[in-house]
C-alpha cells in the first residue's frame, strides 16, 4: 500500500444511497451506459471540459464502450489499456484503506449483496430463458436417444437367446420391447394373444407372424428368474422411450410458441420502423445490442454499495 499510495491518490468518493441505487448503477455499467449519477460525480470531481482534444487529463476506465459513453455524455477523454487495468486492480485491492471509517468486512458484504441482486435480476429478466429451455431439451433428447438405443440392443440380445426369431419379425425397437414384455415365455403364447399383439404392433398379419414364429422358435428355454429381470429391464426401456416421446412433444410446443412470439415481434418491429421513417422522412440505423461487460472508473464506482 505504501508504494501504491505514492502513485494513486483518492480524488473523490460517493457512496450509493441504497441497494436499489447500487443495482441501477451496476446495470448501467454492465450495459456500458453513463448514468446521471455517474455523470454528475465525474463533473463534480474533475475539471470542466469543453473540448476533449484540449483536455489536460484522461479518465481511466476498464471498458472502452463505457469510455465512449462517458465521452459522449461529458466530453471527458477516456483511456482503456493494460496499465489502467492494473491500476484499477490495485484500487480494488486497497480500497478499504482509501476510505476512512470503513469497517472490516463492510466492503465484502456490500459486494456480495450487490452481486446477488445483480445476478437475480439478470436471471429473472433473461431474454434467452425460453431458448435455454429449448437447448436443454434438445440436449436431453440426444442423450436419451443414445441411451435408449443402447438399452434396446441389450434387450434384443438378452431376450434373443429365448426368442431369436422375433428380431426378424419386429424391426422397431420400441415395439420389440413391448412385444417381448407381452410375450414373456414363448411356450405360453397361443392364438389367444392375437388381439393383444395386434394392439401392440398395429398389424394383425404381423401379430400372426409372431405367434407362428414362437411355435417354431429354436431359442433356448428361459428360467423364471431370468424372465423377471428381462421384464423389469424392458419396462424401464419402454418408460424411457415414452418419456422421450413426451419430451419431443414438449419441445415442439415450446419452439412453436417461441416462433409465434418472434413472428409477432418481427411484424410489430417492422411496422414501427416503417411508421417512424414515414413520419420523419429519415433513415434510422439500429446498431447491434451491447453485450454484458463490466466496467469501472478510478473511484471504483461500480463496486461499493451502502444500505
Amino acid at each position: 500500500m505504501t508504494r501504491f499510495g505514492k502513485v494513486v491518490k483518492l480524488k473523490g468518493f460517493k457512496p450509493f444511497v441504497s441497494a436499489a441505487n447500487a443495482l441501477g448503477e451496476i446495470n448501467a455499467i454492465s450495459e456500458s451506459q453513463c448514468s446521471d449519477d455517474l455523470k454528475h460525480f465525474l463533473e463534480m470531481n474533475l475539471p470542466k471540459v469543453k473540448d476533449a482534444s484540449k483536455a489536460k487529463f484522461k479518465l481511466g476506465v476498464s471498458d472502452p464502450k463505457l469510455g465512449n459513453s462517458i465521452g459522449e455524455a461529458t466530453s471527458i477523454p477516456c483511456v482503456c489499456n493494460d496499465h489502467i487495468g492494473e491500476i484499477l486492480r490495485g484500487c480494488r485491492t486497497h480500497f478499504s484503506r482509501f476510505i476512512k471509517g470503513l469497517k472490516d468486512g463492510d466492503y465484502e458484504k456490500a459486494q456480495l449483496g450487490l452481486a446477488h441482486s445483480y445476478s437475480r435480476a439478470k436471471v429473472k429478466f433473461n431474454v434467452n430463458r425460453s431458448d435455454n429451455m429449448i437447448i436443454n431439451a434438445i440436449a436431453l433428447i440426444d442423450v436419451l436417444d443414445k441411451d435408449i438405443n443402447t438399452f434396446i440392443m441389450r434387450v434384443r440380445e438378452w431376450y434373443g437367446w429365448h426368442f431369436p426369431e422375433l428380431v426378424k419379425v419386429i424391426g422397431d425397437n420400441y415395439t420389440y420391447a413391448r412385444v417381448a414384455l407381452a410375450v414373456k415365455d414363448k411356450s405360453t403364447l397361443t392364438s389367444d394373444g392375437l388381439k393383444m399383439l395386434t394392439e401392440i404392433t398395429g398389424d394383425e398379419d404381423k401379430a400372426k407372424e409372431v405367434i407362428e414364429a414362437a411355435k417354431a422358435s429354436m431359442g433356448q428355454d428361459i428360467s423364471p428368474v431370468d424372465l423377471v429381470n428381462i421384464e423389469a429391464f424392458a419396462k424401464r426401456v419402454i418408460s424411457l422411450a415414452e418419456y422421450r416421446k413426451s419430451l419431443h412433444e414438449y419441445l415442439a410446443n415450446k419452439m412453436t410458441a417461441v416462433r409465434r412470439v418472434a413472428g409477432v415481434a418481427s411484424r410489430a418491429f417492422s411496422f414501427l420502423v416503417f411508421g417512424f421513417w414515414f413520419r420523419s422522412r429519415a433513415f434510422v440505423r439500429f446498431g447491434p445490442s451491447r453485450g454484458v461487460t463490466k466496467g469501472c472508473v478510478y473511484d471504483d464506482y461500480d463496486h461499493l454499495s451502502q444500505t
Side-chain angles (χ1 to χ4, degrees):
M1 176 59 185
T2 303
R3 296 179 58 186
F4 187 75
K6 296 179 180 179
V7 180
V8 177
K9 300 294 182 181
L10 180 62
K11 178 65 177 178
F13 170 70
K14 178 185 177 182
F16 297 130
V17 296
S18 64
N21 174 241
L23 180 60
E25 292 301 314
I26 194 175
N27 284 330
I29 292 295
S30 66
E31 297 294 335
S32 301
Q33 298 176 358
C34 180
S35 64
D36 293 337
D37 285 351
L38 178 57
K39 178 181 176 182
H40 295 157
F41 174 78
L42 294 175
E43 291 176 344
M44 287 177 58
N45 292 276
L46 295 176
K48 294 183 179 180
V49 177
K50 295 182 178 179
D51 187 357
S53 60
K54 298 180 180 180
K56 298 182 180 180
F57 69 95
K58 290 185 179 181
L59 177 67
V61 296
S62 63
D63 180 15
K65 293 182 179 179
L66 177 61
N68 294 334
S69 178
I70 293 174
E72 294 175 358
T74 63
S75 299
I76 295 175
C78 298
V79 60
C80 177
N81 52 38
D82 294 339
H83 299 292
I84 297 298
E86 290 298 320
I87 293 175
L88 290 175
R89 186 173 65 85
C91 290
R92 285 192 290 268
T93 302
H94 303 291
F95 183 78
S96 59
R97 300 184 182 182
F98 281 114
I99 307 301
K100 296 181 180 179
L102 190 63
K103 298 179 181 179
D104 294 339
D106 288 348
Y107 182 49
E108 289 74 13
K109 291 179 181 178
Q111 280 186 315
L112 182 61
L114 182 58
H116 285 174
S117 300
Y118 177 75
S119 301
R120 191 182 302 112
K122 284 298 180 181
V123 171
K124 183 177 180 180
F125 298 104
N126 183 11
V127 296
N128 298 319
R129 56 183 179 272
S130 296
D131 296 343
N132 293 335
M133 298 298 104
I134 292 175
I135 292 172
N136 282 280
I138 292 174
L140 182 55
I141 286 177
D142 291 339
V143 174
L144 285 176
D145 286 339
K146 296 178 182 178
D147 292 343
I148 290 173
N149 287 334
T150 301
F151 295 156
I152 284 292
M153 293 305 298
R154 186 59 56 195
V155 172
R156 284 175 175 267
E157 182 179 353
W158 203 355
Y159 190 70
W161 289 102
H162 176 62
F163 193 176
E165 293 80 7
L166 185 61
V167 176
K168 298 180 180 179
V169 179
I170 305 297
D172 181 69
N173 290 335
Y174 176 66
T175 306
Y176 181 93
R178 293 186 63 193
V179 171
L181 185 61
V183 173
K184 299 179 182 179
D185 190 346
K186 64 181 180 179
S187 61
T188 60
L189 183 61
T190 62
S191 57
D192 295 337
L194 179 62
K195 183 178 179 180
M196 175 186 61
L197 293 175
T198 303
E199 293 178 356
I200 296 175
T201 60
D203 187 354
E204 185 176 354
D205 294 335
K206 186 75 67 175
K208 291 180 180 179
E209 289 184 28
V210 173
I211 295 175
E212 294 299 326
K215 293 179 179 179
S217 176
M218 299 293 292
Q220 65 183 16
D221 294 335
I222 189 170
S223 65
V225 176
D226 293 335
L227 188 59
V228 168
N229 285 277
I230 294 175
E231 289 179 10
F233 188 58
K235 288 180 181 178
R236 295 292 182 89
V237 175
I238 292 172
S239 64
L240 279 177
E242 292 175 349
Y243 172 69
R244 194 267 183 204
K245 183 179 179 181
S246 64
L247 184 62
H248 182 270
E249 294 176 355
Y250 158 80
L251 178 61
N253 295 333
K254 196 75 174 179
M255 295 183 69
T256 300
V258 171
R259 185 168 61 249
R260 187 183 301 113
V261 173
V264 172
S266 177
R267 289 193 295 270
F269 179 75
S270 300
F271 176 77
L272 291 174
V273 171
F274 176 76
F276 181 80
W277 175 84
F278 181 77
R279 290 185 179 183
S280 61
R281 300 287 184 177
F283 290 99
V284 182
R285 180 182 179 185
F286 293 89
S289 60
R290 292 173 176 173
V292 177
T293 55
K294 188 176 182 180
C296 56
V297 293
Y298 163 77
D299 68 315
D300 210 14
Y301 190 73
D302 63 324
H303 283 285
L304 185 65
S305 170
Q306 288 194 357
T307 58

